[in-house]
Structure formats: C-alpha cells, structure tokens
Amino acid sequence: MATRLASCSCGQLTAQVSGEPVRNSICHCLACQRRSGSVFAQQARYRRADVTVVGQSTRYTRTGDEGTSATFHFCPACGATVYYEINDLPEFVAIPVGAFADPVFPAPTVSVYESRMHGWVVPPAEAEHYD
C-alpha cells in the first residue's frame, strides 16, 4: 500500500496518507485559482480513515458557487494549505497535490469548472470533463 506525505512549506503541518486517492481532480474555478495561486488546483481525495494529520492549522471555510462549503487547513507559520474538508462529504479529506511535492503523482482523472479554464490549459484527454 502506497504511503505519501503532504507538507506545508516549513514542515510544521503534515498529512500522511495510505493507499491511492478515491478521486484525483483538477478544478478551474476562480476560487481555486486564487487559493492555489495557479490557473487551476489539483487535489486528491482520500478516505478520512487513511489520513493522519500532525501539526497545528488555521482554518478558513469558504462557500462555493453551488452552495457547498469546504474548510481549508493551512499552516499558521508559512500559510501553505495542506488539506481541506468538504463539509458535505465528512468521510473524506482532500489534499492539494502540490503539498506532496511528488513529480510522479498520478495525473488527474476528473476536470471540473472547465468553463473557467484558461485557454492554454489542456487537461488529460481521458479525464472526465465538466463545465
């Protein structure tokens, strides 16, 4: 079983995961662009039972376009988001793939909010695509 470690920039907040994600997606919504500082955000969703968090976090809860909310956990020292909880899906934890700093992490299988996607971005052709 694969084990991966996600971490903030300073290493104070970590999330260790066991196994493969149940969903690996990219989101092109404007909120994810702002949160990630990039033109899209990639996140891997894991079963809560497969995630072990160590360290202190500061929380920020945001309500999305469709009325659902997520609580983001970021390091109070360096500000990097290490994980978040989708409040309507309490059995899962989502982790920004960049927090793993793993260049061989699998490609996303789902691409959402493509109507807000930057024109030069090309998601994997075999991924599920949603506007």
Side-chain angles (χ1 to χ4, degrees):
M1 182 178 297
T3 300
R4 292 185 171 95
L5 184 67
S7 175
C8 65
S9 297
C10 71
Q12 184 277 136
L13 179 60
T14 62
Q16 183 172 318
V17 300
S18 299
E20 296 303 318
V22 296
R23 179 177 166 131
N24 180 356
S25 62
I26 53 177
C27 180
H28 306 276
C29 82
L30 301 180
C32 278
Q33 290 181 36
R34 286 186 183 100
R35 177 183 57 79
S36 69
S38 186
V39 297
F40 61 85
Q42 184 179 1
Q43 48 281 327
R45 189 181 303 170
Y46 291 88
R47 287 178 183 79
R48 184 175 294 278
D50 296 335
V51 179
T52 303
V53 175
V54 176
Q56 295 182 328
S57 70
T58 300
R59 298 175 183 186
Y60 172 72
T61 299
R62 179 181 60 80
T63 301
D65 294 345
E66 297 173 0
T68 58
S69 64
T71 301
F72 297 87
H73 294 260
F74 57 95
C75 176
C78 69
T81 300
V82 175
Y83 69 101
Y84 63 94
E85 299 162 306
I86 304 163
N87 297 329
D88 286 349
L89 298 171
E91 65 274 19
F92 298 105
V93 173
I95 299 179
V97 170
F100 291 112
D102 179 1
V104 297
F105 199 92
T109 57
V110 177
S111 177
V112 299
Y113 283 99
E114 288 189 344
S115 61
R116 297 179 180 172
M117 181 172 62
H118 288 239
W120 57 266
V121 173
V122 181
E126 63 277 4
E128 296 175 41
H129 301 272
Y130 300 96
D131 279 337

